[in-house]
Amino acid sequence: MKNIELPILDTTFVENLIPQKAPFVMVDKLLLFEENKIVAGLTVSNKNIFTSNEVFQESGLVEHMAQSVALYTGYQYFLKNEPAPTGYIGSIKTIQINRLPKLNEQVETSVTVLQEFMGVTLVDIISRVNNEVIGTSQMKTVLAS
């Protein structure tokens, strides 16, 4: 198993842990990784395809949440020296967006794995800006077979 020091702020390294590629990358930091938990980050920029009028749009925040889950899986596989599988959102049970992040704000998203079974992962997700909860979700992600 590899020993990498967290946080990982190298955007290229983080991008290589997920199947999405530019311009569709919605995570740029891996802040914390533990068994059944990850904290991912994103700095909202005008270069992001989901930023409009200096505000990160709902669809971008939902994708950021999903990619935070993908980062959890990708980092698990990286630590085992195995290629990460591709996955997708199987279902979104709940989602609530309290506000949208603005240009240059740092979004930190905590993903807690509730259950993992045969490639299906059920997670609780909380996104924050400066400790303010801006969105929550519960999703199931599914690994492609």
Side-chain angles (χ1 to χ4, degrees), residues 42-71:
L42 176 70
T43 302
V44 177
S45 86
N46 271 329
K47 294 178 186 172
N48 192 298
I49 61 172
F50 289 115
T51 301
S52 177
N53 297 319
E54 300 191 346
V55 176
F56 193 53
Q57 301 302 298
E58 293 95 341
S59 51
L61 189 56
V62 172
E63 184 61 26
H64 165 72
M65 290 175 170
Q67 286 187 22
S68 296
V69 180
L71 186 58

Side-chain angles (χ1 to χ4, degrees), residues 78-145:
F78 168 78
L79 291 174
K80 296 187 285 187
N81 281 323
E82 296 177 16
T86 301
Y88 55 93
I89 298 172
S91 67
I92 297 176
K93 184 175 178 183
T94 60
I95 191 157
Q96 179 173 336
I97 296 176
N98 302 329
R99 82 164 176 89
L100 298 173
K102 297 177 180 58
L103 188 65
N104 298 320
E105 285 189 320
Q106 307 277 328
V107 180
E108 286 190 10
T109 295
S110 302
V111 175
T112 303
V113 177
L114 303 175
Q115 195 172 40
E116 264 184 305
F117 183 71
M118 296 183 64
V120 177
T121 305
L122 175 65
V123 296
D124 272 338
I125 304 169
I126 301 172
S127 293
R128 295 177 175 89
V129 171
N130 295 324
N131 290 320
E132 172 195 359
V133 175
I134 63 164
T136 59
S137 181
Q138 189 173 85
M139 301 183 178
K140 276 186 187 171
T141 61
V142 181
L143 296 181
S145 48

Side-chain angles (χ1 to χ4, degrees), residues 18-31:
I18 61 172
Q20 295 81 2
K21 298 301 167 219
F24 208 69
V25 174
M26 301 300 134
V27 291
D28 60 10
K29 296 171 210 55
L30 195 165
L31 302 168

Side-chain angles (χ1 to χ4, degrees), residues 3-19:
N3 188 15
I4 304 290
E5 194 170 317
L6 296 175
I8 299 172
L9 306 176
D10 179 340
T11 55
T12 303
F13 183 88
V14 171
E15 185 175 328
N16 286 327
L17 296 172
I18 61 172

